Amino acid sequence: MDLKDEFALIDLLTCGGQSTHWQRERGVGVGIGDDAAVAGISPGCSLVMACDTMTQHVHFASWSMRDEDIGFKAMASNISDMAAMGAVPRYALIALSVPKGTDEARLQRIYAGMYECASAYEVAIVGGDTTASISGIVITVTILGEVEAGRALLRSHAKTGDAVFVTGALGGSAAGLALLEHAQRSGAAAEAAIQAPLLQALALAHQRPAPQVAAGRLLLRTGLGRALNDISDGIASEAAEIAEASRVGLAIEEARLPRPAGLDAAAQLLDTPPLEWMLYGGEDYQLLGTVAKEHVHELEAAFEEHGLKLYVIGYATDDFSGVRLLRADGTVEPLAKRGYNHFATKD
Amino acid sequence: MDLKDEFALIDLLTCGGQSTHWQRERGVGVGIGDDAAVAGISPGCSLVMACDTMTQHVHFASWSMRDEDIGFKAMASNISDMAAMGAVPRYALIALSVPKGTDEARLQRIYAGMYECASAYEVAIVGGDTTASISGIVITVTILGEVEAGRALLRSHAKTGDAVFVTGALGGSAAGLALLEHAQRSGAAAEAAIQAPLLQALALAHQRPAPQVAAGRLLLRTGLGRALNDISDGIASEAAEIAEASRVGLAIEEARLPRPAGLDAAAQLLDTPPLEWMLYGGEDYQLLGTVAKEHVHELEAAFEEHGLKLYVIGYATDDFSGVRLLRADGTVEPLAKRGYNHFATKD
């Protein structure tokens, strides 16, 4: 696009998203419109940085997400990376590449979703870049946050004997995507079937994940959280990362894994083992972490006091390395570090 | 790509780029390998943030840049945004989207170029994301820097009566690209012709721009710099941004515009008015700024002392708004806020 177009497009997309006053109250000195943004970091805090890309036909398609959802989720997945460090998300930059001729209203809806998620988490969108792509929309969000110096919750902090926890139900996002894909392939009847509220809630888990910033902060502030990851790639993979980085083994008990309402109904409808979604599904954006065994009750009480959920699902051990699943039938199965193949059908 | 591929690819691309020790000495607490990176910001400083995307077939092609150049320039254009604020660049994140089946050696070369530029400017590459694209390579670099709180050099800081300066020659990048395009279209003879050292230097200006961080810092540290922009979109456009943001008019004198060696030879060879490249060419990554008239000599002396270049090319005025070019023949011409259409030929 030419320069004039680019400036006009940036105005169109960002105008009214967050006021200068709103941003100023959240530490922004210079927002969108100069070579770079300038903003404050709290004294005593370190900078926390991450970025994530969402690509059309790879991470989303017209049948899996509305435009607003695409923007919301692009922001949410980044905010989740801050939660996974125990950090406070503060600022975001948006790099958007779009094919020439893309409907501006579509981009406005994507941006509206990004602003909706960002504002809900007090994140100021302070800049970005808008360029032409050859094919498909590519959205890269960079998130900047802060954490008390030396206190970030790393995946390498698990210790033998720790309890392993998650902050919410697993497999909802993958089940939701599978339902959406089923409706797309099988037409109107299937689409009607997934209008049932429980199944709709699973679709929503895929489209509008809720990053667990409050849980991450509580784990850090109480001083009780040790290792921490967010579940972007499935619990099997995330657990393997903690196990590897911390040089411990992690035992996960199948019977303790929290499952979302509707998961079994969806599994029956689609003739899929629900455990596949729960272990390898990914994009649940819950937190997976460890806490010293003797502090479990204290942490559970703190979570309950703050209206947050915590499920103990296993323990860290030096009896083995890697991750093992203790099946409900008493057998033990090593878990592969693999993710779920999200997209079978193209847009 | 599946997870295992992604982890292996990240290792391949980042291994040996910058050692943990090197990064630690530059403030990195947690680098690549956790959900987010954690790093320090100097006390009393604000965070400075920007990102820029380079897209295959839009910003680069196999005939215009070697793979190492692509990586180098993606990093350099971002570092230049820090220079344009008077900031110190410190950390970078890389989001790389590549079509399935892209040669890994090619990605290694792109990364090598990014590391080369980053390390030369003391920038630690601390994270990123690697995803599949449908078509073409898309590289988004996010750069984080720091600046003394309240002292960033903004484009809105020009005042009537200020002198307007640039830190180096203009039009080299656009002329270099035009030469490369000519060689691509016209074959072996043309390619031989542009092997002449002067013309090669122009190609290099396009492929390996040098961000002016030292000049930006000097403008800030001396307290003499007022408005500042980097020339990514051509001086006509950048001057218009300063004029608009500062609510002044800028008069630019054609006779004072510094031109790179070889520009006239290239213009003759390609039958192109060199002024077109100088005004609208963009990607020179020099700094364009203003300084109070009474401080010009002091600033020139400071630049000379540090081995840096400074060319006064005009002045700010309230006689008109926008940007006007004072032609060598005595006529005056309003300058349009437009950029140069970089790519006519496809890869």
Side-chain angles (χ1 to χ4, degrees):
Chain A
M1 71 198 78
D2 79 24
L3 276 174
K4 211 172 139 197
D5 290 349
E6 190 185 341
F7 289 122
L9 182 60
I10 293 169
D11 277 351
L12 186 75
L13 298 179
T14 61
C15 171
Q18 290 170 341
S19 72
T20 306
H21 176 75
W22 189 94
Q23 290 208 339
R24 198 148 285 178
E25 283 193 323
R26 282 151 188 88
V28 179
V30 179
I32 292 167
D34 213 305
D35 293 295
V38 184
I41 286 289
S42 304
C45 279
S46 295
L47 177 62
V48 188
M49 306 164 263
C51 68
D52 258 321
T53 300
M54 273 176 57
T55 304
Q56 191 177 8
H57 310 298
V58 177
H59 300 93
F60 61 87
S62 58
W63 54 264
S64 71
M65 287 205 258
R66 297 179 314 137
D67 294 331
E68 290 86 346
D69 299 334
I70 295 165
F72 189 97
K73 187 166 179 174
M75 185 61 65
S77 68
N78 275 277
I79 291 175
S80 180
D81 280 326
M82 296 293 102
M85 305 299 281
V88 179
R90 296 208 51 183
Y91 311 114
L93 302 163
I94 316 292
L96 183 67
S97 291
V98 293
K100 277 184 193 184
T102 303
D103 180 16
E104 283 180 356
R106 173 157 207 213
L107 300 179
Q108 280 185 293
R109 289 191 297 270
I110 291 175
Y111 257 75
M114 282 198 278
Y115 273 112
E116 185 187 342
C117 182
S119 296
Y121 285 86
E122 302 278 319
V123 169
I125 296 177
V126 294
D129 192 19
T130 309
T131 54
S133 83
I134 291 301
S135 167
I137 297 173
V138 183
I139 306 169
T140 296
V141 175
T142 300
I143 187 93
L144 291 320
E146 63 184 31
V147 71
E148 293 78 356
R151 295 200 52 205
L153 298 170
L154 308 185
R155 57 182 59 160
S156 57
H157 286 177
K159 288 189 172 41
T160 294
D162 278 2
V164 176
F165 63 80
V166 287
T167 57
L170 303 172
S173 174
L177 178 59
L179 286 166
L180 291 162
E181 201 171 350
H182 172 68
Q184 144 83 1
R185 269 204 306 247
S186 313
E191 216 164 311
I194 73 159
Q195 295 300 320
L198 279 181
L199 300 186
Q200 268 198 315
L202 294 174
L204 214 60
H206 177 70
Q207 295 159 336
R208 297 247 160 177
Q212 300 297 308
V213 174
R217 290 299 293 161
L218 191 56
L219 287 160
L220 184 139
R221 284 205 319 267
T222 56
L224 300 179
R226 275 183 172 162
L228 200 63
N229 254 9
D230 73 326
I231 302 174
S232 50
D233 290 327
I235 193 174
S237 166
E238 306 294 345
E241 287 183 4
I242 290 177
E244 201 178 306
S246 301
R247 296 166 195 240
V248 295
L250 293 190
I252 306 289
E253 298 172 54
E254 180 186 1
R256 289 171 172 250
L257 296 177
R259 55 180 69 194
L263 194 75
D264 293 323
Q268 207 166 3
L269 182 71
L270 302 180
D271 195 20
T272 301
L275 199 61
E276 180 75 12
W277 290 328
M278 297 172 76
L279 294 174
Y280 304 109
E283 299 195 354
D284 285 318
Y285 297 113
Q286 295 296 335
L287 299 178
L288 170 73
T290 75
V291 49
K293 203 165 45 182
E294 61 273 25
H295 291 136
V296 167
H297 291 307
E298 192 182 342
L299 190 61
E300 284 174 334
F303 266 66
E304 199 176 333
E305 193 190 325
H306 287 82
L308 297 168
K309 287 182 175 151
L310 192 81
Y311 303 88
V312 171
I313 60 165
Y315 55 88
T317 174
D318 55 8
D319 292 347
F320 56 85
S321 62
V323 184
R324 294 193 183 173
L325 182 70
L326 313 182
R327 300 297 303 257
D329 63 10
T331 60
V332 176
E333 189 183 304
L335 286 188
K337 186 180 180 179
R338 70 171 170 90
Y340 186 78
N341 188 359
H342 280 229
F343 261 45
T345 312
K346 287 287 172 67
D347 194 2
Chain B
M1 70 199 77
D2 79 24
L3 275 175
K4 213 172 135 195
D5 289 349
E6 190 186 340
F7 288 122
L9 181 60
I10 292 168
D11 277 351
L12 187 75
L13 298 179
T14 61
C15 171
Q18 290 170 341
S19 72
T20 306
H21 176 75
W22 189 93
Q23 291 208 338
R24 198 147 284 178
E25 284 193 323
R26 283 152 188 87
V28 180
V30 179
I32 292 167
D34 213 306
D35 293 294
V38 184
I41 287 289
S42 305
C45 278
S46 295
L47 177 61
V48 188
M49 305 165 263
C51 69
D52 257 321
T53 300
M54 273 177 57
T55 304
Q56 190 177 7
H57 310 297
V58 177
H59 300 94
F60 61 87
S62 58
W63 54 264
S64 71
M65 287 205 258
R66 296 179 314 138
D67 294 331
E68 290 86 346
D69 299 333
I70 294 164
F72 189 97
K73 188 166 177 174
M75 185 61 64
S77 69
N78 275 278
I79 291 176
S80 181
D81 281 326
M82 296 294 102
M85 304 299 281
V88 179
R90 296 208 52 183
Y91 311 114
L93 302 163
I94 316 292
L96 183 66
S97 291
V98 292
K100 276 182 193 185
T102 303
D103 180 15
E104 284 180 356
R106 172 158 207 212
L107 300 180
Q108 282 186 293
R109 290 191 296 270
I110 291 175
Y111 258 74
M114 283 198 277
Y115 274 113
E116 185 187 343
C117 181
S119 297
Y121 285 86
E122 301 280 318
V123 170
I125 296 176
V126 294
D129 192 19
T130 310
T131 54
S133 82
I134 291 300
S135 168
I137 297 173
V138 183
I139 307 168
T140 296
V141 175
T142 301
I143 187 93
L144 291 321
E146 63 185 30
V147 70
E148 293 78 357
R151 295 199 53 203
L153 298 170
L154 308 185
R155 56 182 62 160
S156 57
H157 286 177
K159 288 188 173 44
T160 294
D162 278 2
V164 175
F165 63 80
V166 288
T167 57
L170 303 172
S173 174
L177 177 59
L179 286 166
L180 291 162
E181 201 171 350
H182 172 68
Q184 144 84 0
R185 270 204 307 247
S186 313
E191 217 164 312
I194 72 159
Q195 296 301 321
L198 278 182
L199 300 186
Q200 268 198 315
L202 294 174
L204 213 60
H206 178 70
Q207 294 159 336
R208 297 247 160 178
Q212 300 296 308
V213 174
R217 290 299 293 161
L218 191 56
L219 287 161
L220 184 139
R221 284 204 320 268
T222 54
L224 300 179
R226 276 185 173 161
L228 200 63
N229 254 8
D230 72 325
I231 302 174
S232 50
D233 290 327
I235 194 174
S237 166
E238 306 294 346
E241 288 183 2
I242 290 177
E244 200 178 307
S246 300
R247 295 166 196 240
V248 295
L250 293 190
I252 306 288
E253 298 172 54
E254 180 186 359
R256 288 171 173 248
L257 296 177
R259 56 180 69 196
L263 194 76
D264 293 323
Q268 205 165 7
L269 182 69
L270 301 181
D271 196 18
T272 300
L275 199 60
E276 180 75 12
W277 290 327
M278 298 173 75
L279 294 174
Y280 304 108
E283 300 195 353
D284 284 319
Y285 298 112
Q286 295 295 335
L287 299 178
L288 170 73
T290 75
V291 50
K293 203 165 44 181
E294 63 272 25
H295 291 135
V296 167
H297 291 307
E298 193 183 342
L299 190 62
E300 283 175 335
F303 266 66
E304 198 176 334
E305 193 190 326
H306 287 82
L308 297 167
K309 286 181 177 154
L310 191 81
Y311 303 88
V312 171
I313 60 165
Y315 55 88
T317 174
D318 53 10
D319 291 346
F320 56 85
S321 63
V323 184
R324 294 193 182 172
L325 182 70
L326 313 183
R327 300 295 305 257
D329 63 10
T331 60
V332 176
E333 187 183 306
L335 285 187
K337 187 180 179 178
R338 68 170 172 91
Y340 185 77
N341 187 1
H342 280 229
F343 262 45
T345 311
K346 286 288 171 67
D347 194 0

